[in-house]
Amino acid sequence: MIREYTGNGDRLDVLLSANGELSRSRAAALIKDGCVRVGERIELKPSHKTEPGVCVIVTLPEIKPAKAEAQDIPLEILYQDEHLAVVVKPCGMVVHPAAGNDDGTLVNALLFHLDSLSGIGGEMRPGIVHRLDKDTSGLMLVAKDDVTHAALSQQLSDRQMEKHYRAIVFGRMKEPDGVIEKPIGRSKTDRKKMAVDENGRWAKTEWKVLKEYPDRTLLDVHIITGRTHQIRVHMASIGHPVLGDPLYGHKRMPDAPRLMLHAYSLEFTHPATGERMRFTAPCPFCDEP
């Protein structure tokens, strides 16, 4: 894959990362690997100052998808039948293999413990109907066949699946409950983050106070939509970021041993039986039953 840029006097790595398509570190790695041509020659220095108007060509190497392999990783399985399974993902576990996380993921564990997985997600994401961030623990629904996967994905799309989280947030809330309805999109200043953005996708979060502490509050959080980092972005937007959040928190927050966010309950309709099913996973950082 080829990308073309026009020099403007900036450092080469800065030029290549300016539009957000590449991170600066990724741009620097491509330069050092000989993938960047400035004018008529290969340039190997990220610090090279580009001349205004010079043609810069980047050849992006083909990305080979990681192939997930079964690994004997401990996994708590709350329920399974021939169509689906409900599992508890621990904090710190990545959901599926990707660059930098070739193994040790939830998918690797699923391939070992379950007899089958749907193929809709491809080699890297078999059976994965929805995702959780690496440092969020809790319930995940897994499809064992493609028909079940498609039906569960449709429930998600139609908002017929109900998901509640436990979150400990900074500070004390002024009201016993509330609703946050703000669109979310990719941050324009940091491509690793999401942000409230009027041009983003509609997102809605409902919250309710469960317990108050001097400098923090335990919430039940019900997400109506499922945007990336939704709870973390929405809570930070009203001045109550999730404790332990390195992306959306701030220095005034008290220390926390982990991201204090847990997928607590999950309710859905079984595609094969039509039965409405509900599961809960005890919150590992809450002092409630």
Side-chain angles (χ1 to χ4, degrees):
M1 186 180 299
I2 304 296
R3 292 285 185 273
E4 293 189 13
Y5 301 81
T6 301
N8 60 4
D10 284 342
R11 285 173 52 115
L12 187 54
D13 55 353
V14 172
L15 172 71
L16 301 187
S17 60
N19 65 3
E21 187 177 57
L22 298 173
S23 67
R24 189 165 172 181
S25 59
R26 173 62 172 153
L30 288 170
I31 296 165
K32 293 176 182 177
D33 288 343
C35 298
V36 180
R37 180 180 295 275
V38 179
E40 298 300 320
R41 67 185 184 88
I42 301 276
E43 178 55 62
L44 299 176
K45 293 182 179 180
S47 61
H48 172 77
K49 291 290 185 70
T50 60
E51 296 180 11
V54 69
C55 180
V56 177
I57 297 178
V58 180
T59 302
L60 297 173
E62 180 181 355
I63 298 175
K64 297 181 179 179
K67 183 177 181 180
E69 297 182 357
Q71 291 182 296
D72 186 4
I73 301 169
L75 181 65
E76 183 177 0
I77 303 173
L78 295 186
Y79 172 86
Q80 70 167 314
D81 58 28
E82 62 182 308
H83 303 285
L84 56 85
V86 179
V87 303
V88 181
K89 186 189 84 67
C91 173
M93 177 181 276
V94 175
V95 170
H96 57 80
N101 292 288
D102 294 336
D103 56 15
T105 72
L106 178 66
V107 165
N108 297 115
L110 292 172
L111 288 168
F112 181 88
H113 290 284
L114 302 186
D115 53 6
S116 63
L117 289 172
S118 71
I120 289 179
E123 280 191 332
M124 290 192 294
R125 308 184 187 191
I128 300 301
V129 177
H130 61 102
R131 65 182 297 277
L132 290 177
D133 296 334
K134 173 184 176 181
D135 293 323
T136 300
S137 56
L139 294 171
M140 287 197 65
L141 184 55
V142 179
K144 288 188 170 185
D145 60 76
D146 291 355
V147 173
T148 299
H149 195 140
L152 293 174
S153 295
Q154 190 62 51
Q155 286 187 48
L156 268 177
S157 178
D158 294 342
R159 302 188 180 92
Q160 296 173 349
M161 197 175 290
E162 187 162 335
K163 296 191 286 185
H164 286 255
Y165 290 70
R166 293 291 186 262
I168 295 182
V169 301
F170 174 64
R172 299 180 64 155
M173 315 303 286
K174 295 180 180 179
E175 304 291 339
D177 53 56
V179 177
I180 307 170
E181 195 166 355
K182 299 178 180 180
I184 292 176
R186 182 69 58 182
S187 170
K188 293 180 173 59
T189 58
D190 186 341
R191 62 191 301 270
K192 294 181 180 180
K193 297 174 65 173
M194 307 300 288
V196 170
D197 183 345
E198 63 180 9
N199 296 316
R201 300 176 69 188
W202 175 69
K204 184 177 181 180
T205 302
E206 299 175 343
W207 58 267
K208 180 173 69 174
V209 173
L210 295 178
K211 189 169 183 177
E212 293 184 311
Y213 303 88
D215 59 356
R216 65 194 73 188
T217 305
L218 173 64
L219 302 178
D220 172 85
V221 183
H222 175 210
I223 55 172
I224 307 303
T225 52
R227 309 307 179 206
T228 300
H229 297 177
Q230 178 173 319
I231 295 174
R232 299 163 66 184
V233 171
H234 270 176
M235 297 314 303
S237 76
I238 62 170
H240 297 282
V242 177
L243 291 192
D245 193 335
L247 282 182
Y248 305 101
H250 51 69
K251 295 181 179 179
R252 301 196 315 275
M253 297 198 310
D255 292 335
R258 52 161 286 182
L259 179 67
M260 306 300 265
L261 186 60
H262 175 74
Y264 173 74
S265 71
L266 177 64
E267 185 174 333
F268 61 94
T269 300
H270 195 297
T273 67
E275 177 186 359
R276 192 69 179 170
M277 307 184 78
R278 184 176 186 272
F279 297 89
T280 62
C283 174
F285 51 77
C286 307
D287 56 5
E288 60 173 351

